[in-house]
Amino acid sequence: MTNSPELALSIELIQQASVTPDDKNCQNIIAKHLSKMGFDCEFMYFGDPNDSGDHAEIKNLWAIKKGRDLNAPVLCFAGHTDVVPIGDESAWKFPPFSATVHEGKLYGRGASDMKTGIASFVIAAENFIKNHPNHTGSIAMLITADEEGPAINGTIKVAQTLKERGQKIDFCLVGEPSSTQSLGDVIKNGRRGSLNAKLTVTGKQGHIAYPHLVINPIHAACPALDELIKTHWDDGNEYFPKTSLQISNIRSGTGATNVIGGTCEILFNFRYCTENTAENLMAKTHAIFDKHFRHTDVTYQIEWTLSGVPFLTEKGEFVSACIDAIKTVTGTNAQLSTSGGTSDGRFIAPIMNAQVVELGVLNTTIHQVDESVDIEDLEQLTQIYEEILIRLIE
């Protein structure tokens, strides 16, 4: 097995213990490669350098290699160098930042999510520029170290800055691991919106043996929650499943078995499609709770957090280029999907008015112990990315 350039770069990146939001040396490594190809590289810092929490200063990289026609399309590759924590290191087959090659696989945190995707795109760009030095369109990279964390000083801030400068992005390829059974079998051409709610229902605390002297907030909330769960929000559409609501946590009480708590905190989330809006979901939710609590001594409040709006890239030039490139390299007929969680595409699509597609390695081990990727897939992924570049900006 040869030590391909994408494998070598993947190993170098995985060996950086860049647990979110720390980039370590990843973006410097990437910028060094890109600068040699003629990219203009700029590091952007957003956040508070004195804050170690959610508002910590984040390092981001914006790099662009302009084509001969500045009116031609800009294809941007977006990704993140930060990774999730490793968990119990003793449970790993190999040290998580050793980037160990074993029996045809590359092991390490970030092997599939998503340092190999970044490595493959860097090498794809290098190959493309070497073969097409006078390319028409422009190639860009937007890399952040704030994707696995709160995502408030990363891609969203870079995209806002680029928009203010008048920088366009026509096509954005997010290198997230989209494949399921084999490389390129699934690409994401959209994502559902994510709307989080923290509901606090307030009653009256008291002894569990004297229910007539208390107002149980759990009991009060149950009928409203039942209606919320049974509500039909929409039917979805050709690209998206119907909107779903899931309750993830219910907490109340004082820790004692004989005390009814005065408040009940409930966390729930909407994953919603383009047939709906956050405003509509919030309004319908409030209407349900208003109806159930209108003539009671129970009060409620909801803190809403919109993690991302839904986005969709319909079938067209960009989607076709991705499907055709996969077919050329692997022979696979890629399927379109909008399932799963969110990605930074949720910022780039609305802010930059860009078409966004997610395409990367298999997602079977992401965030798991012994995260890994098939080494054979890396070279093919590089070829797929290069084929997309040829189709869109040659």
Side-chain angles (χ1 to χ4, degrees):
M1 184 175 297
T2 60
N3 189 18
S4 66
E6 47 274 297
L7 175 59
L9 181 53
S10 295
I11 290 172
E12 191 175 5
L13 292 175
I14 292 170
Q15 288 175 340
Q16 308 299 311
S18 55
V19 176
T20 189
D22 193 346
D23 173 71
K24 291 300 184 184
N25 200 41
C26 289
Q27 291 178 32
N28 292 337
I29 293 170
I30 296 165
K32 183 178 178 180
H33 278 263
L34 296 178
S35 295
K36 292 178 181 178
M37 302 177 215
F39 278 79
D40 295 320
C41 297
E42 175 187 2
F43 294 112
M44 297 184 183
Y45 297 87
F46 300 102
D48 185 350
N50 298 314
D51 191 330
S52 59
D54 287 352
H55 296 274
E57 184 178 61
I58 301 298
K59 184 178 183 179
N60 304 278
L61 171 63
W62 167 251
I64 187 165
K65 171 72 166 60
K66 295 179 180 178
R68 70 173 188 271
D69 183 357
L70 297 183
N71 294 315
V74 176
L75 171 60
C76 175
F77 175 82
H80 61 91
T81 53
D82 60 324
V83 297
V84 296
I86 61 173
D88 181 5
E89 185 171 355
S90 67
W92 286 70
K93 183 184 302 184
F94 307 106
F97 296 110
S98 64
T100 300
V101 174
H102 179 71
E103 295 182 349
K105 291 183 179 293
L106 172 62
Y107 288 85
R109 179 60 84 221
S112 54
D113 188 11
M114 57 162 285
K115 291 182 176 180
T116 51
I118 293 174
S120 289
F121 195 87
V122 169
I123 303 305
E126 182 178 11
N127 294 340
F128 174 79
I129 293 169
K130 188 180 302 180
N131 295 324
H132 307 276
N134 198 32
H135 52 89
T136 303
S138 299
I139 314 170
M141 272 201 181
L142 195 169
I143 309 296
T144 185
D146 184 31
E147 197 272 351
E148 298 290 6
I152 57 176
N153 286 313
T155 297
I156 185 171
K157 293 286 182 65
V158 177
Q160 289 169 343
T161 301
L162 295 176
K163 183 178 180 180
E164 291 170 1
R165 293 179 180 177
Q167 172 65 57
K168 70 171 184 172
I169 294 176
D170 298 282
F171 309 116
C172 181
L173 199 158
V174 184
E176 291 282 5
S178 63
S179 305
T180 56
Q181 301 296 324
S182 64
L183 181 67
D185 61 348
V186 173
I187 61 176
K188 308 284 188 177
N189 65 319
R191 289 286 194 169
R192 295 173 294 175
S194 178
L195 177 64
N196 299 291
K198 178 182 176 181
L199 165 69
T200 302
V201 179
T202 301
K204 181 180 179 182
Q205 180 178 315
H207 197 293
I208 201 165
Y210 299 90
H212 60 288
L213 298 178
V214 304
I215 302 173
N216 191 321
I218 302 174
H219 289 191
C222 283
L225 292 176
D226 183 59
E227 181 174 345
L228 194 70
I229 293 167
K230 292 177 179 177
T231 296
H232 177 79
W233 304 98
D234 54 59
D235 294 312
N237 54 36
E238 176 188 358
Y239 295 99
F240 288 94
K242 62 183 181 181
T243 293
S244 72
L245 172 138
Q246 290 295 314
I247 296 173
S248 60
N249 189 278
I250 299 178
R251 183 176 65 183
S252 186
T254 63
T257 59
N258 61 350
V259 179
I260 295 172
T263 61
C264 178
E265 182 182 281
I266 301 157
L267 305 180
F268 58 92
N269 171 270
F270 289 99
R271 291 301 166 103
Y272 68 101
C273 69
T274 50
E275 297 297 308
N276 227 312
T277 64
E279 291 75 18
N280 181 59
L281 296 172
M282 289 188 284
K284 290 180 70 172
T285 299
H286 279 286
I288 290 171
F289 283 95
D290 287 345
K291 179 179 70 174
H292 283 274
F293 295 156
R294 183 174 296 120
H295 302 297
T296 71
D297 292 326
V298 178
T299 61
Y300 82 93
Q301 65 177 21
I302 302 177
E303 297 177 26
W304 296 99
T305 304
L306 181 61
S307 299
V309 297
F311 68 89
L312 174 67
T313 299
E314 297 192 32
K315 296 173 184 176
E317 182 182 11
F318 189 24
V319 170
S320 295
C322 295
I323 291 174
D324 292 345
I326 293 167
K327 180 70 173 180
T328 298
V329 175
T330 69
T332 299
N333 294 311
Q335 301 298 310
L336 300 179
S337 173
T338 59
S339 64
T342 60
S343 77
D344 276 357
R346 71 189 190 272
F347 303 128
I348 297 168
I351 294 174
M352 303 301 296
N353 193 28
Q355 296 183 48
V356 176
V357 165
E358 297 174 27
L359 168 57
V361 297
L362 272 66
N363 55 27
T364 50
T365 64
I366 58 175
H367 293 199
Q368 295 182 18
V369 168
D370 293 334
E371 181 179 347
S372 63
V373 65
D374 288 337
I375 292 174
E376 288 185 0
D377 286 349
L378 300 187
E379 188 172 346
Q380 285 196 318
L381 183 61
T382 300
Q383 294 171 2
I384 291 170
Y385 289 158
E386 185 178 357
E387 287 288 333
I388 294 170
L389 286 165
I390 292 170
R391 284 164 169 75
L392 293 175
I393 68 167
E394 182 185 2

